[in-house]
Amino acid sequence: MRTISKETFYSRISEKIASGRIPETVTLEVTYGCNLRCVHCYNPVHRPLPHELKKEEIFGLLRQMKELGVLSLTFSGGEPFCRADIFDLLLEAKQLGFVLTLITNATLLTDQIAAELEKIGHVFLDISLYGTTRATYEQVTGIPGSFERFMKGLKSVSKRKIPVCIQMPVMTLNAGEIDNAQELCRTLGLRFRTCVEIRPKSNGDTTPLNYRLSPDEKLAFYSQETSGHYESRDYSRLHDERFLDCACGQTQFAITPAAEMNLCAAFPIPKFDLRKGTIREGWKILKQTADQAKPNHSFHCTHCEVRSFCRQGRNDAYLETGNMSKCLAHFRELALLEKAKYDAATAPELA
């Protein structure tokens, strides 16, 4: 029997799914409840609400996703471990054959929970890291004692055969601790990556943007390409001709704890009510939402001199202004800086 790499396997499946416009990836937010109060978080309430999806409702949605052809499923929140039935959800999803990822802050993880996760097998943990010192971590989370609980949880899973990736949302409060975070992960034998984008809350509250790096700081962050944990940039990239030039409504969607089906967790439209319709019906609406989205009078990207350097998504404009065509000053300034840096690096040397 011929074997192929995991990367080749997923690449071939993704190509087939994309060609048929089948949703490959789903993010299911299982609760708004969270034991932390992170300053940068898009969660609008941080507490479980009465109208959140019940276990049997989620079971039904999982079966519908399977029938539609979904391959990868991510449980997120809030904090998924705030749900007492999270293992019931994981086991059901596992039995249905999904490739499972669970996003957690790790502060509720114990040796017993780590053992249960190992027993289930092949549940990928995406653990958020907010700082490597107590002062920084708890300045972000707002909860005294959370750093100690995080470290205990992290060590619990690092001792087990559980695939783990640490993701650090980089912001003004913790940008100076990236190297220390990488070293911590190296010591524990865990993968590490960073994310520099901080977005408004899903209800449009822009307070989290107070903690976003400035364009100059982002440029310095992106420029450090020699270290593997920093993001790099392909300056030759051109945008897709579609107005919504992302995977939203093409191969992915998201479901909120309130049973709303959206383009993604960071693009909360069209809010299709899954208590009144099926996922298959919702997917049809999402595809129409993506296909029918058109630029308005605010759209000037077509002839923009920094278009190929711009990192702004339609969701960024929508969350911040309610107008997905709007050009945001933050991203334009960053694009101008990146273009200037690229031009300087590629200019022919003067004789």
Side-chain angles (χ1 to χ4, degrees), residues 249-268:
Q250 300 294 324
T251 59
Q252 74 175 32
F253 65 85
I255 300 174
T256 73
E260 294 174 342
M261 187 172 171
N262 293 321
L263 292 176
C264 79
F267 210 154

Side-chain angles (χ1 to χ4, degrees), residues 29-37 41-53 76-80 82-83 202 255-260 262 271:
E29 298 172 290
V30 295
T31 183
Y32 289 117
C34 187
N35 59 321
L36 304 182
R37 297 293 183 270
C41 186
Y42 68 85
N43 186 338
V45 293
H46 292 97
R47 67 181 187 278
L49 299 178
H51 61 286
E52 290 185 357
L53 286 163
S76 70
E79 169 52 50
C82 283
R83 281 192 72 124
S202 58
I255 300 174
T256 73
E260 294 174 342
N262 293 321
K271 301 183 186 300

Side-chain angles (χ1 to χ4, degrees), residues 271-345:
K271 301 183 186 300
F272 180 81
D273 190 346
L274 288 169
R275 289 188 169 115
K276 296 180 180 179
T278 66
I279 283 183
R280 188 174 295 276
E281 292 168 342
W283 180 239
K284 182 178 179 179
I285 297 299
L286 262 68
K287 288 192 293 183
Q288 292 174 352
T289 300
D291 294 345
Q292 294 174 6
K294 303 296 180 184
N296 61 27
H297 66 280
S298 302
F299 184 76
H300 303 293
C301 298
T302 305
H303 304 294
C304 179
E305 74 277 20
V306 294
R307 183 185 182 196
S308 61
F309 296 86
C310 186
R311 298 174 183 268
Q312 179 184 317
R314 305 297 173 211
N315 63 310
D316 294 308
Y318 179 81
L319 283 172
E320 194 167 335
T321 70
N323 178 1
M324 63 179 76
S325 292
K326 192 78 172 177
C327 175
L328 301 178
H330 174 89
F331 290 96
R332 177 167 174 78
E333 182 180 346
L334 176 59
L336 287 166
L337 290 171
E338 292 204 76
K339 183 178 185 302
K341 183 177 178 63
Y342 175 75
D343 290 345

Side-chain angles (χ1 to χ4, degrees), residues 104-106 109 125-132 150 153-155 157-158 163-169 181-182 184-186 188-195 229:
T104 176
N105 61 42
L109 298 181
L125 289 188
D126 197 334
I127 296 177
S128 302
L129 168 62
Y130 305 122
T132 57
F150 165 75
L154 191 60
K155 290 175 181 177
V157 295
S158 67
V164 174
C165 181
I166 305 300
Q167 176 158 293
M168 183 176 185
Q182 185 187 34
L184 171 64
C185 293
R186 187 196 64 78
L188 295 174
L190 303 175
R191 292 188 299 132
F192 175 68
R193 67 172 183 253
T194 54
C195 175
H229 62 286

